[in-house]
Amino acid sequence: MNFKKFYFLFIFLLYSTIGFGTSLEDSKNLLEGTLPNGLHYYILKNEKPENRASLNLVVSSGSLNEEDDQQGLAHFLEHMAFNGTTKYKKNDLIKYLQSLGLDFGGDLNAYTSFGETVYKLQVPTSEKDLDTGLEVLREWASEITLDPKAIDNEKGVILEEWRLRQGLTQRIGDIQKKILFGNSRYFHRFPIGLPENIKSANHNLLNSYYKKWYQPRNMAVIAVGDFDPNMVENIIKKYFNYKGDDNFTSGVNYTIENNFKKSTTIFTDPEITGVSLNFICQSQNAPINTMDILKKSIARDLYLGILNTQFSIISKENNSPIISGGGYSYNIGKKDRFNMISLDLRENDITSGIEKGYSLVKYLGTKPISLETLNLEKTDYLSGIKNFVKNKKSIQNNTYIDMIKNKYLYGDTFINPEDELSLTENILKTITPEDIENIAKEFYQENTAIFLIAPEKDNLNIPSKEVIDSIVDKIRSSSLDNLKLNNTLPKLEKLNLIPGKIITTDSNKDCTIYTLSNGIKVYYKHTDFDKDKISIRLFKEEGSSNEDYDNYINSIVAPYLISNSGIGNLTSDQMEIFMKGKNFSVTPYITDYEEGFYINSDMENLGLSLDFFRLMINNPKIDKDIFNNLMNQLKEEVKNKYNSPKALYRDKVSSILSNNNPRRKSLDESDLSKISEAKVLNIFKKKFNNFNNYKIVIVGSLNDTEARNEITKYFASLPVKSENNKPQPLGITFPKNIIKDSVTKGVDKKATVTLVYPYEGTYSNENRTLYNASSKILDMILIEEIREKLGGVYSIYSVPDLEPYNYGENSLKIFFSTKISRTEEITEATKTVVDNFINGKIDQKKIDDIITNYKLTYETAIRKNQYWSQYLYKKSFIPDYKVLTPKEYNSFINYENMVKFLKTAVNKDNYIQITLLPEREE
């Protein structure tokens, strides 16, 4: 569900006639004001997460405001904010941010866009923490020191960030930017900037931009959290009521204007692995602050829902030339909007894909849809909003932050979710098929840019620009009388289940454990974190590990094929329509060592979701068209997979780490030859026709009586036969000693490195906790030593993996990319950091920081369904599984325990180093 479509739908309205010229009113819950110096502030109390606040400093200036010699400096200045202010020297500031749990080093704490720069903090809600957090925002607003030495040091980091974005994505992006932005300022002021400007940046240039645009009248402070709004307002006034430049002039409101042109562009590249096609149109954007604009916004969402449903149905047709398709609409700045329809096409039938895709676009843009189609979409849309409103008390701070940012930057109205539903219901009643057709015309224009992306290889029949244009012209002049939308709402067959019984009930501090008459154990926990969400997980330890290779291959595709081939009496295309207005999902899975189902639902659809589950296991089926389409898609993917350097690199890494175990490589043509409808159906039935040794975790808003009713009907009646299948370890072991290897492929400006240190200790809860803590501290050191001191990377991080069900495939992995000429230098420096770390070179302050962060993370996590679902899942088959409380963590995580653990867990003389290098630089 796309929550973005709800952001502007919130206002209270009694059931009366809607005046569509009426202005929307901001929520009375939003405390807003303007200080004498012109700075805006917005404060909203929100209860989730408890005792946490999100603080943002929004600067209404980004890359569009840069002069010719400043390209990239808006973003550079954002980096410099973390390199020291008048009160907070660099190390003090970073240590403070790390103590809050912020992962310094990525775009997690700030970002720079075309029109804004935003700094973000998450802090506890004590008066002291709020005071410190807002003081830091104030320091960023006017007290960034811009030390020349720090500027020079940061150049390397920013150049590595620029380098990280190079490659295929950048090559495609450069073409697409030209299509979208033409010769407008947007094309010439992309936020990352130009390497030559980054290299020549100095104090004077940065300070000139800083002093000009970081003025109170050009900034806003946004605070959302579980706090007293009046207290926060007083702190903002305390820090931000300073004098700015009285002569400040707001920046130009840049637009695309007439730079967008009708065009057809074909881009091929040897690294592309599939064919995609985009139809792009430009339209006007307006702030959502009146009834009529809100109505248009809702109508646009309805159109996109109808369009995407029809593309999904088309993709399931026999030998459909369209693999997938979807529509999107997004604004650029205050006045421009792009409407895009994107298709993934089969490379052996590109022209048919173009024709079929654009025919649907024309049909919707020239013919009113049926009331039946529209009403189905309205039902789906309203259902999503009802679900959103029912769970309004679990809306996270960042959702509100984004809404308030749009109010400040773009003039949208901020309205409460509590008041949203009645307005939406009334607006939906007024939307007609003609309204949808008017929206569709914005996606179906004469002035359309067409962008085809395809692999560069022999024997690929790519249509020329002239052929593409002729196809589009032919469709535009045709009647399309034979095209009809699928919109008939089917009914699902009824299930007759004989309920089982609950034999025993055992309650503890974490959950209630029911033992059922068929022997299945259910771990149930009622929560009120979300008012109307239920999460169910059924699982069994076994998976494909005890199957032969043929069954393993078929098990990979079985969950997708079965769940997309229709349920019960419903066919695959009927499923698309049936699911309208229903908030639930049923997802089967088969992994190496486990099989099971994820079921997520609200209370209204819980019984239906469980009917789906039972119908899926009672009568699994495979639609021949779905099977053929998937096989065609897999064949194309296999044929083109090594066009991608990253795919070749991933396979190389997996091959080395698994000692060439065939189950760790990606699929090839010989694997596809092993897949058949009969084998897929057989392995699915084999895994899901006997629920012996299954366990079930249920977490959410259903009460005990409701839970018992569903458990006895749907789970106690599951078939159980006596057998004792268990996971069979695959026997995969990491290489010993030091292994170095590389892949040379593609054209790029960077090298990518993976370092893997196999875990050498034993599994225990204590060791798992120490492993995760060690990774967090190692990340801090890597950022300091490799990013900040050497300027050698933009992002570098470690990933620990230590679980008993990994059967020996546990390790600590480190990932980074760097300049090609510095690959050896940065890799050796990284290994030196690891060596020193193993030998006990650990700053006590970093240990203190992760302890503080653990407390903050823990207190937030235990108030979420996701935490309890995962916790009970692990607890069910790891008897002594435990998550330490902050007090226990504080006692356990110390220097002595960590050093002792690292000596046995990580061996500096046993690592795998694999590097991806380009054949040549771009």
Side-chain angles (χ1 to χ4, degrees), residues 67 77 88 94 194 216 220 257 266 290 302 312 360 363 383 424 474 541 553 597 688 701 711 714 766 843 888 895 921:
E67 303 297 338
L77 181 59
Y88 291 93
I94 292 175
L194 302 174
E257 296 177 341
I266 299 172
T290 65
L302 293 174
S312 184
L360 176 60
Y363 184 89
S383 173
T424 304
K474 179 183 176 182
E541 293 181 78
I553 292 298
F597 280 83
F688 299 118
S701 54
I711 288 168
Y714 291 101
E766 292 79 9
D843 183 0
E888 291 169 333
Y895 179 86
E921 289 194 50

Side-chain angles (χ1 to χ4, degrees), residues 535-551:
S535 171
I536 302 174
R537 182 170 182 176
L538 300 90
F539 53 95
K540 175 185 180 180
E541 293 181 78
E542 182 183 328
S544 61
S545 62
N546 58 4
E547 302 292 339
D548 62 24
Y549 192 74
D550 275 22
N551 274 342

Side-chain angles (χ1 to χ4, degrees), residues 347-348 350 455-462 639:
E347 64 177 44
N348 62 350
I350 298 173
E456 184 180 295
K457 64 177 187 176
D458 296 334
N459 304 319
L460 179 58
N461 185 18
I462 301 174
K639 190 164 50 179

Side-chain angles (χ1 to χ4, degrees), residues 653-662 664 731-736:
V653 172
S654 295
S655 173
I656 292 175
L657 294 183
S658 69
N659 283 307
N660 297 308
N661 189 293
R664 290 291 179 264
I732 297 174
T733 57
F734 291 122
K736 295 295 184 182

Side-chain angles (χ1 to χ4, degrees), residues 627-639:
F627 180 83
N628 290 337
N629 287 344
L630 177 63
M631 293 307 297
N632 289 335
Q633 182 180 343
L634 290 174
K635 286 172 184 175
E636 285 190 11
E637 289 178 0
V638 164
K639 190 164 50 179

